[in-house]
Amino acid sequence: PVELHEWYVEIGWPADTPGDTEMYDDEILAISGKEKPIHPDTIFVSPVSDTIKIGATKTFTASVTPSEFEFPISWTSSDSTKAKVTAGNPATSATVEGLTEWENIKITAKSGAVEAFATIKVEKVAVTWVELNKTEVTLAPEATETLTATVKPNNATYKTVTWSTSDDSVATVENG
């Protein structure tokens, strides 16, 4: 005959369960009316590593086994000032946004007691060209003209323009 032990189970498992509870699990569940939660065995994050530009986003996914797991997945960044992580819906995905140029930022997906991570690098958005509002200017002596520079792409990280002339005996330049 099986000896039944009664424990009052309000939330989770009772704190005073004797020794190894594995042999008592079915009895506890039967008395409490709860089903045994399915613990995740493994979790994998994809991609394992990636590069994200400042201001851009990338989606990461978590694969958990068994697929019927019942624990939520939480997502974190090792440095939320460098990369922001937002859990998706469903939580098996997350969106990571690059905030500041940095290397080796760890993005972690955790479910129950298991976790996995990806490593990312956040890069600046390089300037690809500078466009001027005029391609040619003819000036009389002592006359001035204002040029406007537009840095491309629009989301370039550093947009400071330095102005210069190839021959300052013919023309001078000051802030465009």
Side-chain angles (χ1 to χ4, degrees):
V2 174
E3 180 181 331
L4 291 177
H5 300 272
E6 282 194 44
W7 290 289
Y8 176 71
V9 178
E10 186 173 320
I11 298 175
W13 301 112
D16 61 346
T17 304
D20 179 13
T21 62
E22 191 65 35
M23 62 185 262
Y24 298 103
D25 280 353
D26 292 336
E27 294 172 38
I28 293 169
L29 293 172
I31 293 167
S32 69
K34 294 182 181 268
E35 294 185 23
K36 186 174 182 179
I38 299 172
H39 296 272
D41 294 326
T42 59
I43 187 168
F44 298 99
V45 174
S46 177
V48 174
S49 65
D50 211 332
T51 300
I52 301 173
K53 300 284 187 189
I54 293 173
T57 61
K58 178 72 98 171
T59 300
F60 288 76
T61 58
S63 301
V64 181
T65 58
S67 60
E68 303 84 24
F69 73 97
E70 296 178 357
F71 285 78
I73 297 174
S74 62
W75 293 87
T76 56
S77 169
S78 61
D79 190 337
S80 60
T81 64
K82 311 288 188 252
K84 177 184 172 186
V85 180
T86 305
N89 187 9
T92 52
S93 68
T95 302
V96 178
E97 178 183 5
L99 301 176
T100 304
E101 187 176 15
W102 206 259
E103 293 186 32
N104 298 321
I105 302 168
K106 191 161 101 173
I107 305 302
T108 304
K110 184 174 182 179
S111 183
V114 296
E115 65 183 19
F117 65 92
T119 303
I120 65 165
K121 175 181 180 181
V122 178
E123 291 182 331
K124 65 182 180 178
V125 178
V127 173
T128 55
W129 78 90
V130 177
E131 185 176 275
L132 295 175
N133 64 326
K134 296 180 181 179
T135 57
E136 191 174 302
V137 175
T138 303
L139 295 173
E142 304 298 322
T144 63
E145 180 76 30
T146 301
L147 298 176
T148 304
T150 304
V151 176
K152 298 290 183 169
N154 293 335
N155 64 338
T157 304
Y158 303 109
K159 292 186 172 195
T160 302
V161 175
T162 303
W163 295 87
S164 65
T165 178
S166 61
D167 188 348
D168 61 0
S169 67
V170 175
T172 59
V173 65
E174 183 180 314
N175 296 325

